[in-house]
């Protein structure tokens, strides 16, 4: 499994005060976090029977679902984290990954503990070494705990640098495990929660849209995502549309660049299929927008700092992201996509407006906004608008502890645009059903 390692630029500086809500003094949040961490340290000092007990106790504290949404792991990364403490000691890869997570999260949100980049690198490297050894065991390689270890290491990457985690993620390894184990149902409740999280927008489908190293056929995608997404649901309708994109993009590239044809993949058929998905996405955007406005109208502005509000802002942003990507793929197949360009521009502006709202949930509560701003940049019609969006991306990235866009922001944005417009020359056009 190929994974990028941390570099010197990862300096865990707590600059989240740049994005605190106007009515929330920085010292209040810092005091709250310090109090919680000192309390946790005091508890650990009273009851450490061994290193595994200490790790389990620290992890129980870290996965508390009552922690502020800005620093919470469970609501931002998945409820499967709650079950990890009771599974420690079963799988060495999960143990090592959990240890790295505890240290990474403590460093991420701490303002008083000494930060050690070397120690984080050591723990992360050790976790990777143990994971590689575990993957060499054919039985453990397909276990729920090994899959969980990979997902935990994804979180460690995000805590270090969300801009790079989209292209250097362990979800490629998770995809290989899923292919190896087959696409049958979960073996227990823990694996059910794991797979539900792995289907999530910030992990599996997003990576498949942004990275060609994750390749599933349409049949595999349907088996993996299951029939649950077929039911109408305001929170997941956009996600169902997005789930079709990886396979659609491969078929579109093939139709545009290869002489051979695929059943159901002529240009007219592809245009019709994408337009149907885009219409569904438009309906979902309107519903999510109306729900968010209703919520905001019913609550005084000074009190809009809830987890519910953060999730509604994120869902609308992700639906707009999906609409922009679908429109970009469709416009690459049309000769005069004028209506699409106008709509994309409107959605782009709306994402920027949501970014201005979401800063109150910085850092973890607004992670989705970063990738959505990339789509907003692609949809912007003027250089001034693009410069404004670049400013917002830098503002988010630079305030993240140690985070910097990998490879240069402009280069990343242009590469993402070429990908969504099906113009990236490095992509493969061969398609297998």
């Amino acid at each position: 499994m190929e994974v990028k390692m941390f570099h010197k630029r990862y300096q865990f500086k707590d600059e989240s005060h740049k994005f605190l809500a106007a009515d929330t003094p920085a010292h209040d949040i810092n005091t709250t976090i310090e109090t919680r961490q000192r309390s946790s340290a005091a508890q650990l000092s009273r009851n450490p029977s061994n290193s595994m007990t200490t790790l389990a106790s620290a992890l129980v504290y870290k996965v508390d679902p009552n922690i502020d949404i800005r620093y919470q792991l469970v609501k931002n990364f998945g409820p499967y984290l709650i079950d990890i403490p009771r599974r420690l000691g079963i799988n060495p890869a999960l143990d090592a990954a959990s240890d790295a997570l505890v240290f990474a999260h403590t460093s991420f949100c701490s303002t008083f503990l000494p930060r050690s980049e070397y120690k984080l690198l050591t723990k992360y490297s050790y976790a990777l070494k143990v994971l590689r050894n575990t993957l060499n065991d054919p039985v453990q390689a397909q276990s729920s705990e090994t899959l969980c270890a990979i997902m935990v290491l994804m979180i460690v990457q995000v805590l270090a640098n969300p801009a790079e985690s989209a292209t250097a993620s362990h979800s490629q390894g998770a995809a290989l495990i899923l292919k190896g184990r087959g696409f049958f149902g979960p073996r227990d409740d823990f694996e059910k929660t794991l797979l539900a999280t792995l289907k999530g927008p910030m992990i599996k489908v997003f990576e498949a849209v942004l990275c060609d190293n994750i390749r599933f056929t349409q049949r595999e995608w349907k088996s993996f995502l299951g029939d649950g997404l077929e039911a109408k649901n305001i929170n997941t309708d956009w996600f169902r549309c997005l789930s079709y994109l990886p396979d659609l993009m491969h078929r579109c590239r093939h139709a545009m660049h290869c002489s051979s044809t695929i059943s159901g993949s002529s240009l007219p058929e592809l245009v019709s299929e994408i337009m149907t998905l885009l219409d569904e996405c438009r309906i979902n955007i309107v519903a999510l927008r109306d729900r968010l406005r209703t919520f905001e109208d019913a609550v005084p502005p000074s009190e809009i700092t809830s987890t519910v509000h953060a999730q509604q802002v994120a869902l609308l942003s992700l639906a707009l992201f999906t609409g922009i990507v679908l429109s970009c793929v469709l416009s690459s197949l049309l000769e005069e996509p004028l209506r699409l360009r106008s709509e994309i521009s409107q959605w782009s502006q709306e994402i920027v407006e949501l970014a201005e709202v979401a800063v109150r949930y910085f850092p973890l509560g607004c992670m989705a906004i970063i990738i959505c701003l990339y789509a907003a940049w692609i949809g912007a019609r003027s250089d001034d608008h693009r410069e404004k969006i670049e400013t917002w991306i830098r503002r988010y990235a630079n305030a993240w502890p140690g985070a910097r866009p990998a490879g240069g922001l402009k280069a990343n944005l242009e590469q993402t645009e070429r990908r969504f417009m099906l113009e990236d020359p490095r992509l493969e056009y061969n398609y297998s059903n």
Side-chain angles (χ1 to χ4, degrees):
M1 189 185 320
E2 187 175 344
V3 181
K4 292 184 180 178
M5 301 298 290
F6 297 106
H7 299 289
K8 280 288 185 181
R9 64 176 173 277
Y10 293 100
Q11 303 294 328
F12 285 91
K13 298 178 180 178
D14 186 357
E15 297 180 73
S16 57
H17 59 277
K18 297 180 181 178
F19 291 106
L20 297 176
D23 58 342
T24 308
H27 64 81
D28 288 351
I29 288 181
N30 292 340
T31 301
T32 300
I33 296 173
E34 290 178 16
T35 301
R36 286 173 177 161
Q37 290 182 331
R38 287 188 179 120
S39 174
S40 175
Q43 288 181 342
L44 292 178
S45 65
R46 288 194 297 268
N47 301 305
S49 59
N50 54 49
S51 59
M52 196 58 66
T53 301
T54 301
L55 174 59
S57 298
L59 194 57
V60 166
Y61 166 70
K62 291 296 183 183
V63 299
D64 182 356
N66 297 314
I67 291 176
D68 192 307
I69 187 65
R70 288 168 287 192
Y71 296 93
Q72 186 178 148
L73 293 175
V74 172
K75 285 190 172 67
N76 289 309
F77 294 103
Y80 72 93
L81 292 167
I82 296 175
D83 292 326
I84 294 179
R86 72 189 68 176
R87 290 179 176 266
L88 294 176
I90 298 175
N91 183 295
L94 181 57
D95 297 344
S98 299
D99 186 43
L101 175 62
V102 168
F103 186 84
H105 187 258
T106 299
S107 298
F108 178 82
C109 62
S110 174
T111 60
F112 71 97
L113 293 176
R115 305 176 184 89
S116 172
E117 179 185 342
Y118 174 78
K119 188 172 182 179
L120 174 58
L121 174 60
T122 300
K123 288 181 176 292
Y124 182 74
S125 299
Y126 177 72
L128 287 178
K129 179 181 178 180
V130 176
L131 177 60
R132 292 190 190 100
N133 292 336
T134 303
L135 291 173
N136 289 330
D137 183 325
V139 176
Q140 284 198 328
Q142 296 188 31
S143 70
S144 301
E145 287 76 21
T146 299
L147 180 60
C148 183
I150 294 175
M151 295 172 66
V152 168
L153 288 177
M154 291 185 209
I155 302 175
V156 176
Q157 282 185 319
V158 171
L159 294 178
N161 192 339
E164 286 198 350
S165 62
T167 56
S169 176
H170 294 276
S171 57
Q172 296 176 31
L176 292 176
I177 287 181
L178 287 173
K179 277 180 171 285
R181 72 184 284 279
F183 293 88
F184 51 81
R187 290 169 284 203
D188 52 41
D189 289 340
F190 178 62
E191 188 168 276
K192 181 178 180 180
T193 307
L194 271 179
L195 294 178
T197 303
L198 197 55
K199 296 173 186 179
M202 290 305 293
I203 300 178
K204 186 52 55 199
V205 176
F206 266 22
E207 296 241 6
V209 171
L210 295 168
C211 177
D212 252 26
N213 291 332
I214 297 177
R215 296 291 295 271
F216 290 123
T217 65
Q218 192 170 15
R219 186 179 300 108
E220 287 173 333
W221 272 118
K222 187 171 182 180
S223 298
F224 173 57
L225 294 173
D227 297 327
L229 283 177
E230 296 303 320
K232 292 289 185 180
N233 186 310
I234 186 174
N235 293 325
T236 59
D237 284 349
W238 64 271
F239 183 34
R240 184 180 64 252
C241 297
L242 182 68
S243 69
Y244 286 96
L245 259 173
D247 179 75
L248 266 174
M249 292 171 70
H250 289 308
R251 287 191 284 142
C252 287
R253 293 185 201 115
H254 184 99
M256 294 170 64
H257 299 280
C258 298
S259 57
S260 60
T261 58
I262 305 170
S263 176
S265 293
S266 66
L267 286 178
E269 289 172 312
L270 288 167
V271 167
S272 176
E273 188 174 349
I274 297 172
M275 288 183 70
T276 299
L277 292 174
L278 189 55
D279 285 340
E280 292 181 16
C281 191
R282 289 188 182 108
I283 294 172
N284 191 217
I285 287 172
V286 171
L288 289 169
R289 183 189 294 131
D290 290 346
R291 184 177 70 175
L292 177 60
R293 288 175 177 172
T294 300
F295 180 87
E296 292 177 339
D297 290 344
V299 181
S302 60
E303 298 179 14
I304 301 180
T305 56
S306 69
T307 299
V308 173
H309 184 248
Q311 292 173 340
Q312 290 190 13
V313 169
L315 286 172
L316 178 54
S317 302
L318 294 169
L320 292 166
F321 168 92
T322 303
I324 289 176
V325 179
L326 280 169
S327 297
C328 287
V329 174
L330 180 58
S331 65
S332 67
L333 305 179
L334 302 176
E335 293 183 1
E336 297 182 359
L338 296 180
R339 178 195 168 190
L340 289 175
R341 289 174 184 168
S342 175
E343 188 174 49
I344 291 174
S345 178
Q346 175 189 338
W347 288 342
S348 171
Q349 180 59 43
E350 193 167 353
I351 289 176
V352 174
E353 293 170 359
L354 290 170
E356 295 172 354
V357 173
V359 293
R360 71 190 68 184
Y361 304 115
F362 187 87
L364 295 183
C366 60
M367 288 185 299
I369 293 294
I370 298 177
I371 188 62
C372 294
L373 284 169
Y374 272 60
W377 186 89
I378 295 168
R381 299 185 69 177
S382 68
D383 291 339
D384 289 343
H385 190 197
R386 285 193 164 187
E387 288 178 4
K388 180 179 180 180
I389 294 171
E390 289 174 28
T391 300
W392 268 105
I393 294 175
R394 290 191 181 95
R395 192 175 172 191
Y396 269 94
N398 291 345
W400 195 283
R404 297 294 183 275
L409 175 58
K410 199 65 170 283
N412 278 352
L413 290 166
E414 291 172 350
Q415 179 182 333
T416 304
E417 181 178 29
R418 289 193 299 270
R419 181 176 184 81
F420 291 166
M421 298 300 294
L422 310 180
E423 296 173 353
D424 195 333
R426 298 173 302 172
L427 298 175
E428 298 178 9
Y429 302 125
N430 293 329
Y431 177 87
S432 58
N433 198 352

